[in-house]
Structures are given as structure tokens and as C-alpha cells.
């Protein structure tokens, strides 16, 4: 991966989950999530193409974080283009915007952020566009943190008494502007004394659960226990699990939820065991243009991600692998969608339209 060769620039801030995306020294810095928790290293990005590559290569991941990063990528694109050709910068950024849009297909926050930045591009006159675009990217970042705080409170209000929960992948500060969606709910509920234990699925093959969720929660002293993905149903069968709490990469107009592969398994098992399913996501994750989960593009990644583990080949020679990295949980298996605008219980098309109209 080309980014490994880039100079890793230590920042003067203490690396933390809440500082995964940092704009400083007129540059974009990303906490390299591929090597957490063993190393806390920032990668410095100076161009939109490098930013797109960082998204594709998982330096930054998680739907809202991808959107915020892409917004800063537009700032870098406009700066470079304006310096090269002040009269035609708008035409020159088109290729960069396409590179950002092509980085990953499922998280709609990416396209939402690019559209928002494009609207600002259209408003800018003859002046240097950097300051105005940077202002918008910083606003997207700040708004995401505020949305997560609001969701945290809404989601925590659904957890009526102390219980344990299961989460999947990482929908925490690292996956967002800060605080987290699913982990934002966990943080708020924990502060209110309503979380006994967070069981974190390890989340094969990138191990976002064991490397990222467990790291974030341990840093905040929230009790966390790791599970292999296959152990979640057995843990539900043992009792004491009140909720599955996850984030989302895209929610369709009918309330179907795309999230990390394995979320669907969890929701099916939860139904059988009488465990409730909560999806916490900002409205920037809701795509009213797709009617159902069937229309959500699901990213497939290199089979090598499954055929190898820790750099060693584990798949038998000559064997192929199927590696879709997201799945769709039908709305009927979801008890609550929690957004910054409020909660939708037992989501359907009508309720989702009403939420988005608020
Ligand atoms: O492949 P990833 O790590 O980008 O997948 C992330 C997830 O599936 C998250 O659960 C989702 O983006 C919600 S993050 C608040």
C-alpha cells in the first residue's frame, strides 16, 4: 500500500480515539487505524488522491469518518487546483472529486459529504476557495460530534435498566468525528450506570472490534469483553444481554440497515433470543433515494483479506474466498433506529419519511 511509504508525521497532540481526524498545520492528519492499537501513528495527507487512497486502504474507516475525511479531501483538491490554475480550479477538481467518490461504495456519508462540499464549491466566486471550503469541512466535523452526543442521550434513554450489550465492528469515536454512534450510546448509557458489560465481536477480517472498539472502551474504562463473531449467539443464549447496539453505513428509505458483515447474523440471533436491536446513525447515513436494502451497493474486498491472517496464509492452497464487507439487516429485525433527530421504533417507510421531514 503506497501510504505506508508516506512520511508519518508525529503531531504534538496525544493520539486518542477522539482525535482520529485532525486538521492542523494546513494539512490533514489521520490516525492510522490499520495498525491500532499496537502503534498510534498519524499519517499526513497533502492531496485529495492521497486522501482517497487512505479511505480505500482503511487508514480511516467508519461511515461518518469517511465522509468527514472526504470533505477535507475536497479542501486539498481545491487548494492544489487553485494554486495551479486560479481561473479554472473548479474544472480541475472534478477528477479529484471522482477519486474520492470511488474510494469506497457503501457508506453513503461519503457521497453526502461530497454533495455538501460541491454545493459550497458552486457558491464560491473568484476568490481563493480554501478558507470557505475548510470552514464547511470543519462544520461537518463539528456537526457530527454534536449528532453523536444527541444520539447518545436518545439511545441511552431506551436502555431502561442496567444490562450487558453486544456491539459489532467499530462504531465509536474512531469511526466518526468523535464520541461515536453505537459507542456514543454505550458511553452515555455507561455514564448513567446502565451498562454492565460490552461484548465486542472481534469482526473478521479487519478486527475492528478487537483492535479498535476494545481499545476505545478500555481507554474510557468501560468494561469490555471480546467475543469471536461466532460466539455472539451463544452469549445471548446465556442471558443478561439487553441490546445489540450497532452503527450503520447506509439506511434505506424503508429502514433496512447496511452495516459490517455479520450484523445480519446478530440480528437474526437476537430475534430468536428476545434481545433487542438498536442501530445508531446520523441522518447523513439515511439514503432516502434507495427504497430498500436490496438497492444498497455492497463493497466486496480482496479475498486475500480472508485467506490471510496476521500476514500468514491460512486458506488452503487453491481455495477462493467470498469477501462482502457489509450486509443488510431487514427493517423487521430492527427495534430502534436512533438518530440526532430522534428515535424510530420498529422502522418502516412511513416512519423513516416522517423522521427525515422533521
Ligand atoms: O469497513 P469499515 O470499518 O469502514 O466498516 C465500518 C462499519 O461497518 C461501522 O459499523 C459503520 O460504518 C458505522 S460507524 C459509526
Amino acid at each position: 500500500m503506497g501510504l505506508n511509504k508516506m512520511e508519518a508525521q508525529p503531531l504534538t497532540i496525544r493520539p486518542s480515539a477522539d482525535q482520529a481526524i485532525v486538521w492542523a498545520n494546513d494539512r490533514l492528519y489521520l490516525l492510522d487505524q490499520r495498525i491500532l492499537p499496537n502503534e498510534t501513528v498519524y499519517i499526513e495527507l497533502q492531496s485529495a488522491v492521497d486522501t482517497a487512497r487512505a479511505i480505500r486502504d482503511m487508514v480511516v474507516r467508519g461511515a461518518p469518518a469517511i465522509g468527514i475525511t472526504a470533505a477535507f479531501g475536497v479542501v486539498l483538491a481545491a487548494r492544489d487546483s487553485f494554486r495551479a490554475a486560479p481561473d479554472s480550479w473548479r474544472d480541475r477538481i472534478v477528477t479529484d472529486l471522482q477519486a474520492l467518490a470511488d474510494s469506497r461504495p457503501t457508506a453513503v456519508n461519503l457521497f453526502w459529504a461530497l454533495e455538501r462540499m460541491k454545493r459550497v464549491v458552486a457558491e464560491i466566486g473568484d476568490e481563493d476557495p480554501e478558507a470557505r471550503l475548510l470552514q464547511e469541512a470543519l462544520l461537518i466535523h463539528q456537526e457530527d460530534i454534536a449528532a453523536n452526543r444527541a444520539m447518545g442521550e436518545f439511545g441511552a434513554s431506551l436502555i431502561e435498566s442496567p444490562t450487558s450489550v453486544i456491539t459489532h465492528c467499530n462504531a465509536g469515536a474512531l469511526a466518526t468525528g468523535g464520541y461515536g454512534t453505537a459507542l456514543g450510546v454505550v458511553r452515555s448509557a455507561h455514564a448513567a450506570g446502565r451498562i454492565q458489560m460490552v461484548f465486542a465481536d472481534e469482526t473478521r477480517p479487519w478486527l475492528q472490534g478487537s483492535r479498535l472498539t476494545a481499545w476505545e472502551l478500555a481507554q474510557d474504562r468501560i468494561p469490555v469483553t471480546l467475543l469471536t463473531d461466532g460466539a455472539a449467539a451463544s452469549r445471548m443464549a446465556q442471558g443478561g444481554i439487553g441490546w445489540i447496539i450497532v452503527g450503520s453505513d447506509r439506511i434505506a428509505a424503508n429502514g433496512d440497515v447496511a452495516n459490517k458483515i455479520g450484523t445480519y447474523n446478530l440480528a437474526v440471533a437476537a430475534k430468536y433470543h428476545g434481545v433487542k436491536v438498536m442501530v445508531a446513525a446520523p441522518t447523513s447515513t439515511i439514503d432516502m433515494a434507495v427504497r430498500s436494502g436490496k438497492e444498497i451497493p455492497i463493497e466486496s474486498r480482496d479475498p486475500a483479506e480472508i485467506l490471510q491472517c496476521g500476514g500468514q496464509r491460512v486458506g488452503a492452497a487453491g481455495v477462493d474466498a467470498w469477501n462482502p464487507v457489509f450486509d443488510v439487516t431487514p427493517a423487521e429485525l430492527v427495534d430502534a433506529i436512533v438518530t440526532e433527530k430522534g428515535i424510530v421504533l420498529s422502522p418502516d417507510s412511513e416512519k423513516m419519511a416522517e423522521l427525515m421531514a422533521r
Side-chain angles (χ1 to χ4, degrees), residues 58 60-64 66 104 107 168-172 175-176 180-182 206 208 212 246-249 258-261 263 280 282 299 301 325-326:
M58 306 283 284
V60 61
R61 28 65 51 203
I66 290 171
R104 290 190 78 188
H168 191 65
C169 194
N170 171 266
T176 63
T181 55
W206 276 85
Q208 291 94 331
L212 308 179
V246 292
S248 174
D249 291 84
N259 191 45
K260 179 54 56 192
I261 190 81
T263 304
E299 177 182 8
R301 291 182 71 93
V325 300
F326 300 102

Side-chain angles (χ1 to χ4, degrees), residues 53-139:
R53 199 183 310 143
I55 295 172
R56 190 197 65 206
D57 290 351
M58 306 283 284
V59 172
V60 61
R61 28 65 51 203
I66 290 171
I68 295 162
T69 302
F72 285 116
V74 176
V75 179
L76 297 173
R79 175 163 74 194
D80 283 350
S81 296
F82 188 78
R83 282 180 186 163
D87 293 333
S88 58
W89 69 269
R90 241 181 278 270
D91 299 331
R92 292 174 68 107
I93 61 169
V94 170
T95 327
D96 281 345
L97 292 183
Q98 195 56 49
L100 289 164
D102 289 343
S103 58
R104 290 190 78 188
T106 303
V108 76
N109 309 61
L110 170 70
F111 308 101
W112 172 89
L114 289 176
E115 284 308 313
R116 188 162 153 176
M117 295 300 282
K118 277 190 213 167
R119 283 199 292 277
V120 177
V121 166
E123 283 164 23
I124 294 172
D126 293 337
E127 72 271 22
D128 183 338
E130 184 177 345
R132 178 66 191 92
L133 287 169
L134 178 58
Q135 183 189 30
E136 193 69 11
L138 291 168
L139 191 62

